[in-house]
């Protein structure tokens, strides 16, 4: 059975929703950041990066949301998050998710994790001050160029949808009004109505 290590509200939420959407048989174990459990010896043995998500499979542990989402999509081909067999269509999904992973996530991380990039408290504070503007720029691009609608890739729901939903949920905390992006905001509202999403949010709250 698959086992997902997650922390509520973090990027691991995307993999959690994808597992639900796929109808996968899985177990979910919460990692409590307030207790620094991501740095515990037990968790570091599993994922030396000290981050979530981590997915234990029968072939070994997978890390990185981009890889985990693609693995779920390819493992459950007929499901709501099954990946397309056409290489170009799959690459389009990966391009979108890669932008979230390598650009938007990094822009967001400057708010709480600036010490990864600088020791000087003034530099860390200066990075924090850029988060709102950088997240706005990223979402301008998503809203106006990258997002098709009603789902990220158009008519077909995919592994890009739970991933975008997760990043959109960070906007308010980053000082950005999500309503500034009507298409993305509508997407979030549609996502919130999906049974898989409701189940994951309830599990995270419990
Ligand atoms: N590139 C990784 C990033 C994973 C990551 O940074 N996860 C955050 C939560 S969103 C985390 O575990 N942070 C804990 C920490 O930095 O101590 C991915 O996309 O999965």
């Amino acid at each position: 059975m698959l086992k997902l290590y997650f922390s509520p509200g973090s990027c691991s939420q995307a993999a959690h929703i994808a597992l639900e959407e796929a109808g996968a048989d899985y177990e979910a174990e919460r990692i409590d950041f307030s207790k620094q459990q991501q740095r515990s010896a037990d968790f570091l043995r599993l994922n030396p990066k000290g981050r979530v998500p981590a997915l234990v499979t029968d072939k070994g542990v997978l890390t990185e949301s981009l890889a985990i989402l693609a693995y779920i999509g390819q493992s459950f081909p007929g499901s709501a998050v099954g990946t397309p067999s056409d290489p170009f269509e799959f690459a389009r999904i990966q391009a979108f998710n890669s932008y979230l992973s390598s650009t938007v996530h990094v822009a967001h991380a400057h708010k709480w994790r600036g010490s990864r990039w600088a020791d000087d408290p003034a530099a860390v504070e200066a990075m924090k001050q850029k988060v709102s503007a950088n997240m706005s720029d990223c979402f301008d691009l998503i809203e106006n160029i990258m997002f098709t609608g009603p789902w990220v890739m158009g008519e077909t729901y995919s592994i890009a949808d739970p991933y975008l939903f997760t990043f959109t949920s960070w906007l308010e905390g980053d000082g950005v009004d999500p309503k500034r992006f009507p298409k993305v905001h509508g997407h979030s509202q549609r996502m919130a109505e999906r049974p898989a999403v409701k189940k994951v949010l309830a599990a995270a709250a419990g």
Side-chain angles (χ1 to χ4, degrees):
M1 201 207 307
L2 297 168
K3 182 167 181 180
L4 177 74
Y5 288 82
F6 77 101
S7 176
S10 78
C11 59
S12 60
Q13 179 181 272
H16 203 167
I17 295 171
L19 285 167
E20 273 300 324
E21 296 277 16
D25 186 16
Y26 74 98
E27 195 184 321
E29 184 159 329
R30 179 187 299 245
I31 295 295
D32 189 341
F33 286 173
S34 72
K35 296 184 180 148
Q36 294 289 302
Q37 283 176 347
Q38 75 274 31
R39 305 206 200 291
S40 70
D42 280 352
F43 187 69
L44 288 174
R45 257 192 300 281
L46 192 88
N47 179 12
K49 295 172 182 167
R51 310 264 183 107
V52 293
L55 183 71
V56 181
T57 79
D58 58 0
K59 292 188 174 161
V61 180
L62 282 174
T63 60
E64 300 298 326
S65 300
L66 191 70
I68 291 172
L69 288 168
Y71 172 81
I72 296 169
Q74 295 196 342
S75 300
F76 298 90
S79 74
V81 287
T83 43
S85 54
D86 180 80
F88 185 79
E89 291 307 319
F90 180 56
R92 281 182 64 230
I93 295 174
Q94 291 300 84
F96 187 89
N97 280 356
S98 180
Y99 181 70
L100 293 182
S101 167
S102 62
T103 301
V104 188
H105 199 167
V106 176
H108 167 80
H110 281 73
K111 183 172 178 192
W112 299 116
R113 309 284 186 195
S115 59
R116 285 180 193 159
W117 296 283
D119 294 320
D120 178 358
V124 171
E125 183 55 32
M127 282 190 268
K128 216 180 238 188
Q129 295 304 321
K130 288 288 289 179
V131 169
S132 170
N134 284 341
M135 290 296 278
S136 281
D137 286 351
C138 291
F139 272 79
D140 272 335
L141 192 74
I142 293 171
E143 173 81 10
N144 297 316
I145 312 282
M146 298 171 73
F147 182 87
T148 306
W151 305 111
V152 171
M153 290 294 143
E155 294 299 325
T156 309
Y157 187 84
S158 75
I159 47 170
D161 291 293
Y163 207 21
L164 176 64
F165 175 69
T166 299
F167 283 89
T168 308
S169 74
W170 294 348
L171 283 176
E172 269 190 74
D174 287 346
V176 182
D177 180 1
K179 296 200 187 70
R180 273 196 47 214
F181 311 102
K183 289 198 271 181
V184 170
H185 183 56
H187 174 260
S188 257
Q189 290 177 317
R190 278 189 293 286
M191 286 294 295
E193 292 306 315
R194 294 182 71 89
V197 175
K198 287 185 178 170
K199 192 169 168 189
V200 166
L201 294 184

